[in-house]
Amino acid sequence: MPCPVVIVDRVPDNIVQAAYSAVHTLYIEVCGDLEFLDPEDTTFTLTHLSPGPVLDLGCGPGHFTKFLTDAGVPAIGIDMVPEFITHARATYPGIGFELGSLRTLDAPTASVAAILAWFSLIHLDPTELPAVLAEFHRVLTPGGRLVVGFFESTDEVEPFPHKVTTAYRWPADRLSETLRRAGFTELARLHHPTAGDVRPYAALALAKS
């Protein structure tokens, strides 16, 4: 299931970084372990990202990167928060973790086989999303894979009150159409309805067209 993330709306990356850094210890305690990954989510992701290698963008404490690596899919975790990268490197030695922003990827054009963006896009205002998706499209190889996890709504793209600040939820069809316009073809989707205090969320698997 998705864990709480720090969301900062329409602000520079350094502000987002500072906000994540302020809660990094709690975030790692609450979310930063393999046990917090839902088996349905990991199966879906592994199915559509294999064989990699994968850029895990917004990797946080690095546990999803660790899962992929253990499953035989080479992965590199990228996050803008130094505390997350320090934790990931210490906790999962032998796996590559790097500081970086998903807005500008340090990778040549058509050089990346797959991207995981697991709830790393929800802080983006909808008007910002196309530019980020264009960067994903740039670095992916032809036919390269993309898996996106997101909070789901039924009718409209809408902000909602997050524990930290505003986040956005998307109807799966609307997000799929946005991704199609960015040059991706949907392959599969996964839905998780509301369960207790967990908001409905979903995942899309796509290929660069």
Side-chain angles (χ1 to χ4, degrees):
M1 70 178 60
C3 286
V5 295
V6 175
I7 314 299
V8 182
D9 188 11
R10 292 189 181 186
V11 294
D13 279 356
N14 64 316
I15 304 297
V16 178
Q17 175 189 318
Y20 272 103
S21 293
V23 298
H24 74 275
T25 300
L26 177 61
Y27 188 99
I28 291 168
E29 291 175 355
V30 172
C31 303
D33 196 273
L34 291 169
E35 68 182 76
F36 297 111
L37 297 175
D38 185 291
E40 197 172 4
D41 296 338
T42 54
T43 297
F44 180 84
T45 300
L46 187 62
T47 297
H48 294 290
L49 292 185
S50 183
V54 176
L55 292 184
D56 181 6
L57 300 180
C59 67
H63 49 303
F64 218 137
T65 318
K66 168 65 170 172
F67 167 80
L68 292 170
T69 303
D70 286 351
V73 179
I76 296 173
I78 297 175
D79 203 282
M80 69 171 67
V81 182
E83 292 86 353
F84 285 163
I85 296 301
T86 297
H87 169 85
R89 287 172 175 168
T91 307
Y92 309 119
I95 299 175
F97 292 100
E98 300 176 3
L99 280 172
S101 171
L102 54 77
R103 297 176 187 268
T104 306
L105 299 175
D106 185 17
T109 297
S111 66
V112 174
I115 288 174
L116 174 61
W118 195 251
F119 289 83
S120 56
L121 301 176
I122 66 168
H123 61 287
L124 294 174
D125 182 275
T127 61
E128 297 179 292
L129 189 58
V132 173
L133 296 180
E135 180 68 351
F136 290 5
H137 192 275
R138 179 188 70 80
V139 303
L140 281 169
T141 58
R145 298 299 183 89
L146 169 65
V147 170
V148 178
F150 60 100
F151 289 110
E152 187 174 22
S153 64
T154 55
D155 299 317
E156 300 292 337
V157 181
E158 57 187 10
F160 67 92
H162 191 270
K163 290 182 178 180
V164 180
T165 190
T166 303
Y168 290 88
R169 52 191 171 204
W170 287 73
D173 287 343
R174 286 282 300 276
L175 184 55
S176 181
E177 173 60 19
T178 299
L179 285 153
R180 186 195 65 78
R181 292 197 298 268
F184 295 95
T185 299
E186 182 181 339
L187 303 175
R189 63 177 67 180
L190 175 68
H191 296 277
H192 286 277
T194 302
D197 60 353
V198 177
R199 297 182 178 94
Y201 70 99
L204 296 175
L206 309 107
K208 176 179 174 177
S209 357

